[in-house]
Amino acid sequence: MSYDKIEVPEQGEKITLKDGSEDELEIPDNPIIPIIYGDGVGSDVGPAAQKVLDAAADATGREINWMRIYAGESAREMYDENLPDETVEAIKEHRVAIKGPLTTPVGAGFRSLNVALRQTLDLYANVRPTYYLDGVPSPVKAPEEMDMVTFRENTEDVYAGIEWEAGTEEVEQVRDFIEDEMGFDSTIHEGPVGIGIKPITEKGSKRLVREAIDYALEQGRDKVTLVHKGNIMKFTEGQFSEWGMEVADEEYPDDEVFAAPDSLWEEQDDIDIPEGAIMVEERLADAMLQWMQLRTDEFDVLAMPNLNGDYLSDSAGAQIGGLGIAPGGNFGKGRMLAEPVHGSAPKRANQDMANPSALILSGRLMFDYMGWDDAADLVRDAVEETISSGKVTYDLERQLEDAEKLATSEYAEEVIDNIEKLS
Ligand code: NAD
């Protein structure tokens, strides 16, 4: 496809689907990869991460041909809109892309660009690996016990955005429907009300849980925990868990995946599972927030509806050092968009200050998805080596004794030096 304002690199090949497959990719050694630097600190961490990922690709005999694409402020300047069609098309066409943070303008009528991108591209699983890197300051006593991957449903639940504002005609119509037609006649208090709808579908739940189980099998993990609030929201969150258990029970042999639907109230040691199988268990979201801190090493892969995933993954991220280093990615069928957990941190923007580790490690996740395991490991090890030698950006430096504070660009150079040393 030809683009209006996007410059396609002269060199490089496109990542494509393997013949006859819906989701397996053919990855050339010189792929074209679209990149959105993003708003705010994106203009600092974007170029820094790009250089580090180039160095890891180079050290493992490959070459990335970057293709700048635009969303947010840079798109408004060039296209006069937040999310141009050709940005979405470029990601669809090239299948694997990476982005920095995008600011969500506050006020009526603005939808989150991140939500729009995830929904338009049907990137249904938001995946956040949460692991500890040596040397990172953490608020908990044993941060190294955390090695967990969260799968958060990315297209429904509160992300559906179905809600009505207090004081509008529409919200009163919905109230009348709920009270008069659906029989909840004395449930909503009188006076102004805001109402939202939380759709959880069989399709959305099952494909997310399937993705989490497949990941656990591929990565040799022991357990998938379905995290929900089904004791209160039986027909949405509870149903998510039932559908998830159906996937575990019906789509995999018992000696590979063992569904434990009665696990909610049981100690895990009391559950008898076939030797070598991974267990799919369920836990309530509120208890889970507690256990993640008290029994960190018991958890492995978590699969959750959207809002639980939002809370739990941020909280898990805090245990291993916070937003400056927390990576993530959005996965759909045969495509992925890597992005850090953090936002655009406008106060720190354009000062060569922000920590690029989260975006760099999101690139590591992208390399994993591409099957570039050696480059992925190199990125992780080089970031860890840099941080554990006490060379860090401001956010970590202020929490450490005797650390050296580096600018974003200096830190990236240090990571690149370590890539060269370790390769
Ligand atoms: P934020 O993540 O931008 O910032 C929260 C705190 O973390 C700030 O104190 C900031 O200084 C710090 N921080 C974040 N990233 C950092 C980094 N790389 N290095 C060092 N410190 C870092 O969250 P916010 O302030 O709630 O949101 C700001 C904007 O970002 C909002 O418009 C929000 O909608 C948007 N946002 C975007 C994404 C995304 O693009 N996926 C995610 C979250 C928030």
Side-chain angles (χ1 to χ4, degrees), residues 37-45 47 73 77 344-354 408:
Y37 285 164
D39 295 329
V41 292
S43 56
D44 303 297
V45 298
E73 197 185 317
E77 280 165 15
S344 53
K347 234 172 61 189
R348 308 291 178 189
N350 300 312
Q351 296 167 61
D352 199 15
M353 254 184 113
T408 312

Side-chain angles (χ1 to χ4, degrees), residues 85-267:
D85 287 347
E86 66 175 20
T87 295
V88 175
E89 280 312 311
I91 299 173
K92 274 193 186 151
E93 186 180 356
H94 293 83
R95 300 203 163 270
V96 176
I98 185 165
K99 69 173 273 290
L102 293 171
T103 299
T104 302
V106 180
F110 288 112
R111 282 187 67 216
S112 159
L113 288 179
N114 299 299
V115 177
L117 261 175
R118 292 168 195 173
Q119 286 189 335
T120 325
L121 292 163
D122 201 20
L123 297 166
Y124 55 83
N126 181 258
V127 179
R128 294 177 175 176
T130 312
Y131 49 87
Y132 182 66
L133 293 175
D134 209 21
V136 174
S138 156
V140 300
K141 282 192 208 145
E144 67 286 353
E145 286 184 1
M146 172 76 76
D147 181 11
M148 212 172 71
V149 183
T150 56
F151 282 70
R152 167 191 180 195
E153 205 292 325
N154 226 1
T155 61
E156 54 185 20
D157 190 4
V158 295
Y159 259 11
I162 307 175
E163 51 173 15
W164 296 274
E165 197 178 355
T168 59
E169 207 177 297
E170 288 82 2
V171 83
E172 291 308 324
Q173 276 176 14
V174 178
R175 186 209 299 256
D176 288 347
F177 174 74
I178 292 170
E179 291 182 342
D180 302 341
E181 309 267 332
M182 304 309 289
F184 291 95
D185 52 359
S186 52
T187 311
I188 304 174
H189 295 305
E190 280 172 22
V193 59
I195 299 179
I197 285 191
K198 174 187 175 73
I200 299 233
T201 63
E202 179 176 13
K203 174 180 169 177
S205 305
K206 284 193 165 176
R207 66 182 180 175
L208 188 267
V209 173
R210 202 174 287 127
E211 197 81 24
I213 293 176
D214 288 344
Y215 174 90
L217 288 170
E218 269 163 35
Q219 302 286 322
R221 299 271 181 166
D222 296 330
K223 191 159 83 164
V224 175
T225 306
L226 309 180
V227 185
H228 62 90
K229 190 70 188 150
N231 55 334
I232 302 297
M233 293 174 272
K234 295 186 192 337
F235 304 138
T236 49
E237 301 255 333
Q239 187 64 67
F240 168 86
S241 179
E242 278 180 34
W243 279 321
M245 283 296 172
E246 270 175 35
V247 170
D249 191 35
E250 294 167 10
E251 299 184 16
Y252 302 86
D254 265 6
D255 57 355
E256 256 182 49
V257 175
F258 182 79
D262 301 323
S263 47
L264 204 46
W265 313 111
E266 285 190 59
E267 283 294 319

Side-chain angles (χ1 to χ4, degrees), residues 40-61:
V41 292
S43 56
D44 303 297
V45 298
Q50 204 177 1
K51 280 189 190 163
V52 170
L53 298 175
D54 272 338
D58 186 49
T60 51

Side-chain angles (χ1 to χ4, degrees), residues 127-131 320 325-329 339-341 357-359 361-363 365:
V127 179
R128 294 177 175 176
T130 312
Y131 49 87
I320 50 95
I325 61 156
E339 67 168 334
V341 174
S357 304
L359 188 58
L361 294 169
S362 303
L365 188 61

